[in-house]
Amino acid sequence: MDRIRIRGGRALAGTIPISGAKNAALPLMASALLTDGPLTLTNAPDLADVTTMAGLLAQHGLSVTRDKAARTITLSGTATNLEAPYDLVRKMRASVLVLGPLLARHGRARVSLPGGCAIGTRPVDLHLKALEQMGAAIEITGGYIEATAPGRLKAARIIFPQVSVGATENILMASALAKGTTEIVNAAREPEITDLAACLMRMGARIEGLGTDRLLVEGVESLGAAVHPIIPDRIEAGTYACAAAITGGSVLLAGARLDHLGAVTRILRDAGVDVAEAEGGLKVARLNGLRGTDVMTEPFPGFATDMQAQFMALMCVAEGAAMITETIFENRFMHVPELLRMGARINFHGASAIVRGVPRLSGAPVMATDLRASVSLILAGLAAQGETIVNRVYHLDRGYEHVEEKLAAVGADIERLPG
């Protein structure tokens, strides 16, 4: 199993290209089930999760063509197999996003209950209850969601009791082919939702309310072909912003968009990091010292839960203390014991952690437990004295494209060691 070795202490300088967003690419790929296509996605990232989704859609019967050099994925055809098997779905939670499109277009779906990172239960109840409101009959048997909807799904007024990105995506896709106009209330507002809606509209869907928490979707009989560019990855951009800050460096995040970062920009600025729009992307630099800054994760435009671990690593070397509160997932502090091994001072209880900054972290062997925890340990290694070995980096490859190459190109002493 591959490992990543880092020798810390180097300030980063240069340009880091930001790849297409993983969290946008996966639902966009699933939306190909709604049409014979072809649907061509440009700016497609080369990630393990994208490969997993491509394999899942191929086993459903779609033709999937990837041109990694051109960074495109083209999907076409009609699903001939309506089952998403456990062996594929267990690898990635986003696999559940095939449920809505399969049910809307074919009236039937059998989808394994999902897997993915071990950062909480993340139940699919919101997806299922909303689909039932649209006329689907759903049973869970033998670890599978068995769903049927004779004829077309019917429009409904869906009020989510809590904000859910995945549920909003599933119902947005399902309602594109439903009979009537579906209203989605308390919809997630993440940029990836807007990107999915924009792609569906290119395919012929009728959607109002983009960027708001109330979406209106007028169902159509069928959707057609489209070409759609995937938005840049705001979490990757935020991660490399933290990398520049934790090393005292200055980088240009090529392709990154300020409007996609939400509260991350404000929190970084409060902590002493300059984030500014520049030609071709965002310029990020640490001004002087880092300041301990409190943060609470919230749905967009609040501070992203996918940035919590990276920001915690940054706060480990800030002056003063920071309280970090996680409100989205209940099991997302698994990186804390590994940061403690590197000399961090962190106390946590329940959903909150108090981080007291130290002058310098120390390199150590550490173990990655999930995707964002993996990269937080790399950030800590960049700032640490001595050598850090991050083990179990297969998590990292799910969501970060060539991370060691991108960091090495801006001055980091980092390399991948084959397992």
Side-chain angles (χ1 to χ4, degrees):
M1 194 175 293
D2 287 1
R3 298 166 293 154
I4 287 182
R5 180 197 58 75
I6 308 131
R7 294 188 180 97
R10 294 189 177 190
L12 304 185
T15 299
I16 301 177
I18 301 303
S19 301
K22 173 185 85 81
N23 289 340
L26 302 179
L28 288 170
M29 292 173 70
S31 73
L33 291 165
L34 294 166
T35 177
D36 288 341
L39 172 62
T40 298
L41 302 173
T42 63
N43 194 33
D46 182 15
L47 299 170
D49 273 9
V50 171
T51 299
T52 299
M53 181 62 85
L56 177 62
L57 295 173
Q59 73 84 40
H60 279 308
L62 270 60
S63 169
V64 183
T65 304
R66 294 180 71 179
D67 185 335
K68 292 186 179 181
R71 306 185 72 78
T72 63
I73 301 174
T74 300
L75 308 106
S76 60
T78 301
T80 54
N81 171 27
L82 304 183
E83 178 175 319
Y86 170 74
D87 284 348
L88 285 173
V89 176
R90 68 179 175 84
K91 298 178 182 178
M92 183 183 67
R93 178 171 184 81
S95 302
V96 78
L97 293 176
V98 303
L99 177 61
L102 286 175
L103 196 55
R105 184 141 189 246
H106 302 282
R108 185 167 58 86
R110 186 172 190 264
V111 178
S112 172
L113 290 168
C117 285
I119 58 171
T121 54
R122 301 196 282 182
V124 295
D125 293 8
L126 297 180
H127 305 237
L128 306 186
K129 289 176 181 176
L131 288 169
E132 285 178 331
Q133 282 185 255
M134 298 175 72
I138 296 176
E139 292 184 4
I140 297 179
T141 57
Y144 277 80
I145 302 164
E146 305 264 7
T148 57
R152 293 170 66 185
L153 288 172
K154 298 174 179 61
R157 187 169 191 259
I158 308 295
I159 304 175
F160 287 125
Q162 64 196 67
V163 176
S164 168
V165 173
T168 300
E169 289 167 341
N170 234 334
I171 301 311
L172 183 59
M173 289 187 283
S175 57
L177 293 181
K179 185 176 181 181
T181 299
T182 297
E183 181 182 8
I184 307 173
V185 180
N186 201 25
R189 292 185 285 164
E190 274 69 5
E192 295 80 12
I193 299 289
T194 300
D195 199 38
L196 174 61
C199 179
L200 292 171
M201 291 170 70
R202 281 191 167 99
M203 296 160 66
R206 298 171 183 167
I207 306 171
E208 297 178 10
L210 272 64
T212 76
D213 61 0
R214 179 177 175 270
L215 298 172
L216 287 176
V217 188
E218 182 184 345
V220 296
E221 291 286 342
S222 63
L223 296 175
V227 177
H228 180 79
I230 299 171
I231 58 172
D233 195 318
R234 63 193 173 97
I235 304 303
E236 185 189 33
T239 298
Y240 289 130
C242 288
I246 205 169
T247 64
S250 175
V251 299
L252 175 69
L253 305 176
R257 290 177 51 175
L258 192 66
D259 61 323
H260 286 176
L261 290 180
V264 170
T265 301
R266 175 179 56 82
I267 295 296
L268 286 174
R269 287 170 175 165
D270 288 348
V273 184
D274 186 45
V275 182
E277 289 183 291
E279 186 176 353
L282 297 178
K283 191 68 178 288
V284 180
R286 192 168 87 194
L287 299 176
N288 293 298
L290 290 168
R291 298 185 293 271
T293 303
D294 296 344
V295 69
M296 176 183 293
T297 62
E298 296 176 306
F300 190 84
F303 191 92
T305 180
D306 279 354
M307 281 297 302
Q308 179 258 106
Q310 300 92 305
F311 188 74
M312 183 180 289
L314 184 64
M315 290 296 94
C316 286
V317 294
E319 295 179 10
M323 175 178 283
I324 298 175
T325 303
E326 174 62 58
T327 69
I328 308 298
F329 296 128
E330 73 275 13
N331 195 22
R332 210 163 197 181
F333 284 151
M334 291 189 292
H335 46 285
V336 170
E338 304 306 301
L339 290 172
L340 294 175
R341 289 174 50 79
M342 300 179 71
R345 296 176 62 204
I346 307 170
N347 294 303
F348 70 99
H349 178 74
S352 293
I354 296 290
V355 184
R356 294 177 174 85
V358 298
R360 183 175 290 274
L361 297 171
S362 300
V366 289
M367 189 76 70
T369 54
D370 62 67
L371 171 54
R372 306 306 172 184
S374 303
V375 83
S376 76
L377 299 176
I378 287 178
L379 295 180
L382 293 174
Q385 186 171 23
E387 182 176 277
T388 298
I389 302 289
V390 182
N391 296 284
R392 292 179 66 188
V393 296
Y394 66 87
H395 290 291
L396 192 73
D397 296 331
R398 291 183 48 229
Y400 288 92
E401 185 176 31
H402 312 309
V403 65
E404 68 279 8
E405 296 174 18
K406 290 187 178 186
L407 287 171
V410 292
D413 185 347
I414 182 172
E415 66 177 338
R416 182 177 291 252
L417 306 174

